[in-house]
């Protein structure tokens, strides 16, 4: 049985009386090639733990279970749990967790697994993300310092474009700076909307976010760095001199001094600043708070 075939999805829906939930971002993958690209992109090894976000009916889960030592799949929809139990019945290395990923202590899941398995190598996070919370999921994992090697996930192409954007481009913004601070970003594959059931309105991209062992820049204060990034892009049409006035506790003179000390022309706009320049600038702002 091809689990990913549209006819299988139809059959499962009928037998279980399952109704797809639009509000939970349920667009199921029907293309084996794309499933393989996610698995290969993640680089899953035989001693790895895989954490999957939103398994749906288990198409990616099934393949991951063939490659990994253990798979923990976190699914919010309780109506999918009996279906997953059925579709993954022959996989004894899979654990299904019926939870909201945004409320899940992922590091605890990883730690518990490390304690119960004697030989666990890497940790790979994968998934075809529910699009309505793509950014919150990624930022939650990064901000809480998830103990994984990488996050290889499908998302709306437009969000992927923003994440991987370079300075000077239209898509470059606070999300690009934030994710690139924590990770090396690699595009795995572009995915047309036709390979999902039901078909979404937009195309998708799989990105691999490989966790950096060492951060690319030195920050005196991470919070001030992100406050500067947020203020800069919050009013991206304004010059940095004006937009950074939005950083709490700093005066216009302080902003000007910080910009000049960092070697940045106060008339520039946030979208032209590299990660290194944001770091230098925030370190100078921090000294003037
Ligand atoms: N992995 C499946 C596939 O590729 O066919 C399903 C992907 S579908 C785009 C997203 C999945 O995430 C759905 O199964 C949905 O129920 C689940 N989901 C939505 N919000 C979630 C949340 N907050 N926590 C965990 N899972 C969630």
């Amino acid at each position: 049985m091809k689990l990913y075939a549209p006819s299988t999805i139809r059959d499962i829906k009928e037998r279980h009386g399952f109704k797809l939930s639009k509000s939970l971002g349920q667009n199921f993958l029907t293309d084996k090639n794309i499933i393989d690209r996610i698995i290969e992109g993640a680089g899953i090894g035989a001693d790895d733990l895989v954490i999957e976000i939103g398994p749906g009916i288990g198409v990616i889960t099934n393949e991951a279970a063939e490659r990994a030592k253990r798979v923990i799949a976190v699914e919010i929809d309780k109506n999918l749990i009996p279906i997953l139990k059925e579709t993954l019945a022959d996989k004894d290395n899979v654990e299904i967790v019926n939870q909201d990923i945004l409320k899940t202590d992922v590091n605890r899941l990883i730690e518990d697994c490390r304690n119960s398995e004697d030989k666990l190598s890497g940790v790979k996070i994968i998934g075809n993300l529910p699009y309505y919370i793509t950014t919150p999921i990624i930022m939650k994992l990064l901000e809480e310092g998830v103990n994984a090697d990488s996050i290889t996930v499908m998302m709306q192409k437009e969000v992927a474009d923003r994440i991987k954007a370079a300075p000077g481009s239209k898509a470059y913004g606070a999300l690009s700076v934030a994710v690139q601070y924590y990770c090396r970003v690699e595009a795995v594959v572009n995915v047309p909307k036709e390979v999902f059931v039901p078909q979404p309105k937009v195309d998708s991209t799989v990105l691999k976010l490989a966790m950096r062992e060492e951060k690319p820049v030195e920050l005196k204060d991470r919070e001030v760095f992100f406050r500067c990034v947020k203020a800069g892009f919050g009013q991206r049409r304004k010059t940095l001199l004006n937009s950074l006035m939005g950083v709490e506790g700093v005066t216009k003179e302080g902003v000007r001094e910080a910009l000049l000390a960092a070697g940045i022309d106060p008339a520039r706009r946030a979208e032209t600043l590299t990660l290194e320049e944001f770091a230098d600038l925030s370190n100078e702002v921090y000294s003037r708070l």
Side-chain angles (χ1 to χ4, degrees):
M1 182 185 68
K2 288 178 182 156
L3 190 53
Y4 50 85
S7 57
T8 313
I9 298 173
R10 253 194 321 271
D11 170 64
I12 286 177
K13 274 173 61 191
E14 268 171 32
R15 276 192 300 106
H16 287 266
F18 174 74
K19 289 200 174 56
L20 281 157
S21 161
K22 214 174 167 182
S23 64
L24 288 177
Q26 291 176 347
N27 301 96
F28 295 157
L29 247 177
T30 62
D31 188 320
K32 174 76 163 57
N33 179 43
I34 303 297
I35 296 166
D36 289 344
R37 295 293 294 273
I38 296 173
I39 301 281
E40 277 152 26
I44 299 167
D47 286 325
D48 282 347
L49 163 65
V50 168
I51 308 264
E52 189 192 0
I53 300 167
I57 65 161
V59 287
I60 303 173
T61 331
N62 234 293
E63 297 299 325
E66 294 285 334
R67 314 264 185 123
K69 184 155 207 172
R70 298 248 307 165
V71 179
I72 303 177
V74 181
E75 172 57 61
I76 197 171
D77 188 349
K78 67 174 184 342
N79 297 321
L80 281 168
I81 306 306
I83 297 176
L84 285 164
K85 289 203 169 127
E86 180 185 298
T87 59
L88 299 166
D90 62 337
K91 302 283 186 301
D92 56 11
N93 59 343
V94 178
E95 183 187 336
I96 301 157
V97 177
N98 184 201
Q99 268 179 28
D100 179 348
I101 189 68
L102 293 176
K103 295 186 184 144
T104 301
D105 187 342
V106 178
N107 276 343
R108 169 52 57 92
L109 290 180
I110 295 170
E111 208 180 302
D112 288 350
C113 188
R114 281 206 183 280
N115 290 337
S116 64
E117 294 281 353
D118 23 299
K119 209 177 114 202
L120 202 66
S121 166
V123 178
K124 313 281 158 64
I125 298 179
I126 63 168
N128 170 13
L129 295 182
Y131 292 175
Y132 72 109
I133 45 169
T134 297
T135 305
I137 292 174
I138 292 174
M139 290 317 298
K140 170 203 189 285
L141 295 170
L142 299 182
E143 280 168 0
E144 71 189 17
V146 71
N147 287 323
D149 306 308
S150 58
I151 304 172
T152 305
V153 282
M154 173 121 65
M155 64 195 76
Q156 257 178 272
K157 183 176 176 301
E158 180 261 334
V159 179
D161 288 345
R162 281 165 48 210
I163 289 179
K164 64 184 171 67
S169 66
K170 224 172 156 187
Y172 186 63
L175 184 63
S176 333
V177 177
V179 176
Q180 292 173 28
Y181 168 70
Y182 291 105
C183 310
R184 276 178 288 108
V185 179
E186 192 188 309
V188 175
V189 62
N190 287 326
V191 184
K193 52 183 176 296
E194 288 76 21
V195 304
F196 299 92
V197 169
Q199 193 174 307
K201 289 200 176 68
V202 292
D203 292 329
S204 301
T205 298
V206 177
L207 285 189
K208 177 172 187 172
L209 312 176
M211 241 49 93
R212 294 182 189 275
E213 271 170 28
E214 277 188 29
K215 296 288 182 287
V217 289
E218 261 187 49
L219 301 179
K220 287 191 176 152
D221 188 293
R222 202 171 67 172
E223 205 202 310
V224 172
F225 171 74
F226 282 112
R227 266 159 58 193
C228 289
V229 172
K230 212 170 147 198
F233 286 109
Q235 296 177 299
R236 58 189 291 149
R237 288 172 159 272
K238 288 193 176 175
T239 63
L240 283 163
L241 181 60
N242 287 319
S243 62
L244 287 184
M245 292 287 296
V247 177
E248 208 186 298
V250 71
T251 62
K252 189 160 188 170
E253 217 26 61
V255 172
R256 189 193 307 277
E257 279 175 24
L259 282 161
L260 293 176
I264 298 167
D265 181 344
R268 281 174 64 187
R269 290 176 170 74
E271 66 207 36
T272 69
L273 255 56
T274 62
L275 192 60
E276 290 74 18
E277 287 177 312
F278 265 119
D280 292 344
L281 175 59
S282 76
N283 289 340
E284 294 297 340
V285 167
Y286 177 76
S287 314
R288 287 166 178 80
L289 285 177

